[in-house]
Amino acid sequence: TSGFSNGNYSASATVGGVKIVVDGDSYESTTDVTASGSFGGVNVSFHADQTEDEIKLSGSFGGVDLSYHNFDSDTANSDMTAITASTAVNGVNVTVASVDVDASANEAGEDFFDIAAMTDNGDDLMGIKLSTAVAGNTVAFARIALDSHDNATDADVTKVIVTRPLASGATFEATYTDVDEVATANDTTTLDLELAVKF
């Protein structure tokens, strides 16, 4: 399919199981290309324009879910590479993540484990998260090592999250977070209690 309107154009086609979409603006001389498909159980997505390209791969192998995400930009300090692996072992869900970011790549590393940024300059991350059901609760434990680009706020982070559905339909969540800044030996501990109510 294809179309052209007010200087914008779009064309799409599926070739050999690969969907290709091309969008552009003839006035701005810009073109976006996206290609996606599945090959041998691996989902592949590629996007490129004048200033950046992005590759995503994901699939399941022997009971392990794997994903790879690479973002490469002409904008300084915006590149990111993330690799995750998830599986279940004896009723425990296990996720391992490695994130390598440039200095200001939107704190992408912290997003994987929902932790507060230790620095505005971006953090590389290595972490593991375990979660399981215990007596009607969902209990999650995460251990994360942050390598900050300012070399001053490297930190080890431990999180324990307990979530429990209530009879009213609300959800109670308790989050314990311990942050140990390696360089300063500062140790910060917080306990956050939240009640989410559905209407």
Side-chain angles (χ1 to χ4, degrees):
T1 61
S2 62
F4 186 91
S5 177
N6 297 323
N8 298 314
Y9 59 88
S10 178
S12 64
T14 300
V15 181
V18 180
K19 183 177 180 180
I20 302 172
V21 179
V22 179
D23 296 306
D25 187 330
S26 59
Y27 296 146
E28 299 291 336
S29 298
T30 59
T31 302
D32 291 353
V33 178
T34 302
S36 60
S38 182
F39 308 91
V42 179
N43 299 313
V44 180
S45 174
F46 172 77
H47 173 265
D49 59 28
Q50 275 66 30
T51 62
E52 62 190 38
D53 58 67
E54 186 173 33
I55 299 173
K56 294 181 180 180
L57 307 173
S58 64
S60 183
F61 308 91
V64 180
D65 296 329
L66 299 174
S67 70
Y68 170 85
H69 182 187
N70 178 263
F71 180 79
D72 186 12
S73 174
D74 291 346
T75 302
N77 300 325
S78 297
D79 298 346
M80 180 193 78
T81 301
I83 301 172
T84 64
S86 300
T87 190
V89 180
N90 295 325
V92 178
N93 298 314
V94 183
T95 300
V96 178
S98 172
V99 182
D100 182 11
V101 299
D102 279 354
S104 60
N106 300 319
E107 317 305 338
E110 288 88 345
D111 293 341
F112 278 90
F113 293 103
D114 188 26
I115 57 176
M118 299 296 105
T119 168
D120 291 333
N121 294 323
D123 298 312
D124 293 338
L125 172 154
M126 282 289 294
I128 183 170
K129 182 178 180 179
L130 311 175
S131 64
T132 190
V134 179
N137 305 299
T138 299
V139 180
F141 169 85
R143 178 70 173 176
I144 307 106
L146 296 176
D147 181 10
S148 68
H149 290 274
D150 62 10
N151 296 318
T153 52
D154 292 357
D156 295 322
V157 181
T158 301
K159 286 189 71 171
V160 179
I161 305 170
V162 179
T163 306
R164 183 176 183 84
L166 304 178
S168 62
T171 301
F172 173 76
E173 181 174 279
T175 303
Y176 168 85
T177 305
D178 180 84
V179 178
D180 182 11
E181 293 189 13
V182 177
T184 62
N186 289 336
D187 194 3
T188 303
T189 301
T190 60
L191 178 63
D192 181 41
L193 305 177
E194 294 185 4
L195 184 64
V197 181
K198 293 183 179 180
F199 296 96

